[in-house]
Amino acid sequence: MDYCTGWFEGWWADCCMAHDGDYAAQVLKALADSRLGECVSHALPAIAAGSPVATALFGGLSAFIGFGMYKAVRIFGGKYYRAAASPTPAAKSEVK
C-alpha cells in the first residue's frame, strides 16, 4: 500500500499510515495534517538509535521532511480527504 501518496515510503511510513487512518476516520483535516507533520518531524530511522550524532543528523532531516509533508498535505490533500469520506469506490478511485 502507498501510505505516503506522492512521496516515497521512508522511516516515516507509520506516520503516513496514521495520517491515512485520520483521513478515513474524518478527523478534522487541519488536525490530521498537523499530526502527520509532528510525527514525521520526530521519526528517526533505526540506524540513528544510540548515536547522538546520527540522531542529530536524522532529527534535522526528519524535521525538514515533516515540515514539507505538512505543507504538501495542507495544500494538496483536500481531494484525498474528501475521497476518504466518500462511501463509493468510484470516488476513491478518482484520486489515483
Side-chain angles (χ1 to χ4, degrees):
M1 175 116 198
D2 178 26
Y3 293 114
C4 299
T5 307
W7 193 259
F8 64 96
E9 306 290 321
W11 59 82
W12 50 80
D14 289 344
C15 301
C16 296
M17 186 169 70
H19 184 248
D20 286 358
D22 281 350
Y23 271 23
Q26 287 296 281
V27 169
L28 188 63
K29 184 177 180 312
L31 177 59
D33 295 347
S34 179
R35 286 179 181 174
L36 173 68
E38 281 294 311
C39 183
V40 173
S41 291
H42 293 98
L44 291 173
I47 195 171
S51 169
V53 173
T55 297
L57 174 70
F58 284 106
L61 181 59
S62 289
F64 178 75
I65 293 169
F67 179 75
M69 289 177 80
Y70 168 75
K71 287 297 190 182
V73 294
R74 292 303 297 147
I75 295 168
F76 303 109
K79 68 180 180 178
Y80 299 100
Y81 185 77
R82 288 187 298 276
S86 176
T88 64
K92 292 184 183 204
S93 68
E94 217 173 87
V95 297
K96 292 184 179 178

